[in-house]
Amino acid sequence: REKFDEGTTDRRRIEFYVEQMLEQLLELLKPKQHGLLRLNLTCRQCGGRTQEIIVGMIRPLSEAGELRRLIGLKMEHIHFDLEVESLELLAAETAPLRYRQSTLFVEDNWLEERERDSLINRLSIRLGEKKVLRASLVEDVQPERSVRYAPALNVSHDWSRSPICRELPLRPATLFPEPVQVRVNSVVPAGPPLRFWWDQQEFLTEIVWGPERIETGWWRDDAIRRDYYRVETTSRQRFWIFRRRDQRDWYLHGCFD
């Protein structure tokens, strides 16, 4: 905490004391080998007004320079129209630091990870934590429900490992938000597709894998019964197509890059 003898609206003076408090806070965490995951800065102004900023990080951080930049981005949105009487900096959440030793002969991507984490931190401050999301796999039979999005700064989730324990079947890199209905020709109604039309183009299939049958339980309101095929066309493009077994119509669900 820092209490001013006389209130001030001088931004440079306030930022100077915030930096001093940050240095003290990092010194307290150093013996524990902990880094900061979430910082709370409270500015108490005349008349009982309080302004608070919260700075979250995707990984434990102990570098003073990077933390100063993140706090500075947040403080840009604070207007010191009333005199500040005191400041309080709180380590709201900490975690053990991760250390990695670089090798002489193997390229280490540690610096790339740090740059990525730094970018996520800055974007989360600029745009808001709920605007910067990270995808993770969810074990659900229905492909549209097999991905979950959560804030990238959600440190309660262990992103280092997938919640899926079993080996996943081959899936396209590009999955459409909603399956697109297409016209398909096949030898028999329940057979594999021979050709299909999509986006005003005709595609001839050369290789077909499948079917892979995907069904959900009767208790789900939008229960599905689908036969999926992986097809490679004569133009060497690969698509993920399914036939609804109840309606016998065809849909294009994704593309393999």
Side-chain angles (χ1 to χ4, degrees), residues 195-253:
R195 67 178 66 197
F196 63 95
W197 288 261
W198 173 58
D199 197 22
Q200 299 181 348
Q201 296 184 55
E202 180 183 2
F203 298 89
L204 299 176
T205 61
E206 185 168 329
I207 306 175
V208 179
W209 296 267
E212 176 193 351
R213 184 156 294 177
I214 294 180
E215 295 185 352
T216 58
W218 57 266
W219 54 86
R220 183 174 286 185
D221 293 336
D222 55 346
I224 63 170
R225 300 175 69 219
R226 301 172 181 172
D227 282 344
Y228 277 86
Y229 293 89
R230 287 186 291 121
V231 301
E232 181 176 316
T233 67
T234 53
S235 58
R236 296 296 180 265
Q237 295 171 278
R238 290 189 175 187
F239 299 94
W240 206 34
I241 295 178
F242 71 84
R243 183 183 67 90
R244 290 200 305 178
R245 298 179 58 225
D246 50 354
Q247 301 292 333
R248 295 188 177 182
D249 48 357
W250 291 84
Y251 291 83
L252 178 62
H253 205 169

Side-chain angles (χ1 to χ4, degrees), residues 22 26 29 35-39 57 59-61 67 91 93-94:
L22 177 62
L26 292 175
L29 293 175
L36 293 165
L37 274 175
R38 191 168 295 272
L39 269 175
M57 280 71 70
R59 303 292 184 195
L61 195 60
L67 287 166
E93 193 169 359
T94 68

Side-chain angles (χ1 to χ4, degrees), residues 51-151:
Q51 295 199 67
E52 185 178 29
I53 66 172
I54 300 174
V55 181
M57 280 71 70
I58 188 171
R59 303 292 184 195
L61 195 60
S62 63
E63 291 83 359
E66 180 68 13
L67 287 166
R68 281 197 298 267
R69 283 190 288 272
L70 296 177
I71 295 174
L73 290 174
K74 273 287 192 178
M75 291 186 66
E76 290 178 0
H77 304 288
I78 292 185
H79 301 286
F80 299 109
D81 48 350
L82 297 176
E83 291 186 343
V84 176
E85 297 179 334
S86 66
L87 299 168
E88 179 179 310
L89 192 63
L90 172 68
E93 193 169 359
T94 68
L97 291 168
R98 297 188 311 166
Y99 292 99
R100 183 180 299 179
Q101 182 176 354
S102 299
T103 59
L104 292 175
F105 305 106
V106 179
E107 184 177 355
D108 195 353
N109 62 352
W110 179 242
L111 291 178
E112 294 181 2
E113 291 184 9
R114 289 184 58 183
E115 291 176 359
R116 178 205 62 199
D117 293 348
S118 177
L119 175 62
I120 292 175
N121 289 337
R122 295 195 303 272
L123 289 175
S124 298
I125 288 176
R126 288 290 192 186
L127 305 176
E129 293 185 10
K130 295 184 179 180
K131 298 289 186 179
V132 183
L133 307 177
R134 178 173 292 191
S136 63
L137 295 175
V138 178
E139 192 164 8
D140 196 297
V141 174
Q142 190 168 346
E144 301 96 305
R145 299 188 177 188
S146 61
V147 177
R148 176 179 59 200
Y149 293 92

Side-chain angles (χ1 to χ4, degrees), residues 32-46:
K32 301 179 180 180
Q33 295 186 346
H34 270 221
L36 293 165
L37 274 175
R38 191 168 295 272
L39 269 175
N40 290 4
L41 173 63
T42 303
C43 304
R44 305 189 186 279
Q45 297 175 283
C46 295

